[in-house]
Amino acid sequence: MIDIREADPLSDALRPVIEAHFTHGESAGPAESNHTMDADALAGPDIRFWALYEGETPLGCGALKVLPDGTAEVKSVHILAQARGRGLARVMMNRLAELARTEGLSALVLETGAAHLPAYDAARKLYEALGYSYCGPIFGYRDDPNSAFMRLALEPRP
């Protein structure tokens, strides 16, 4: 059974997930365009972090950073390689959207790798399928040819 719960990114149990995510970010594009957060940053006061578990085995993670404009930035969504192909990233993204919607946020925004960085192809395709649209740089970022910025408006549920 898949379960998503708020978690401590500094916990030993989550170290393999965080390290895999960080390694992916370091290898996927130029260092100057890498915005991957390490465990210490994910444990910061302005970040909420969740882990995706199957039973008691962590398989992935995701985080939200609330921004001053009433939106939240999606951070550090990662599914371990051995668990990919099961729709778990979609499950995590949908949970983050529902949490943000419940908290009254107006939109989710994110930064990911640009189209010429193939390591981010699957992520961009997922975000597009979930209804995200491309936009200009989001809060805290500058235009970067290695980055794609996306936004999903959150309509309140009736």
Side-chain angles (χ1 to χ4, degrees):
M1 177 174 186
I2 299 301
D3 180 35
I4 297 174
R5 40 189 130 128
E6 206 155 356
D8 178 0
L10 297 172
S11 75
D12 287 340
L14 292 172
R15 184 170 294 144
V17 175
I18 303 297
E19 288 177 357
H21 175 59
F22 197 75
T23 298
H24 175 268
E26 285 187 316
S27 65
E32 66 273 12
S33 299
N34 181 7
H35 304 285
T36 307
M37 298 176 86
D38 64 14
D40 288 331
L42 288 168
D46 58 343
I47 304 289
R48 291 184 59 204
F49 179 86
W50 291 269
L52 183 146
Y53 291 86
E54 184 168 49
E56 292 304 311
T57 303
L59 298 178
C61 63
L64 291 176
K65 178 179 181 178
V66 176
L67 301 176
D69 62 359
T71 67
E73 181 182 359
V74 175
K75 297 295 295 181
S76 301
V77 172
H78 187 84
I79 303 298
L80 292 175
Q82 64 267 27
R84 291 187 188 149
R86 298 171 48 193
L88 298 178
R90 179 182 295 271
V91 170
M92 177 60 80
M93 290 297 294
N94 284 334
R95 176 65 62 85
L96 294 175
E98 193 55 42
L99 289 162
R101 186 178 285 111
T102 299
E103 293 176 4
L105 296 167
S106 62
L108 287 178
V109 295
L110 60 85
E111 181 275 339
T112 191
H116 66 273
L117 298 173
Y120 293 101
D121 288 349
R124 283 191 313 279
K125 287 178 185 174
L126 172 62
Y127 304 145
E128 290 167 1
L130 291 172
Y132 283 75
S133 57
Y134 290 92
C135 61
I138 60 176
F139 182 87
Y141 293 82
R142 290 180 288 187
D143 198 22
D144 180 342
N146 297 304
S147 292
F149 300 99
M150 301 181 84
R151 177 182 180 88
L152 175 70
L154 297 173
E155 300 298 326
R157 295 265 191 239

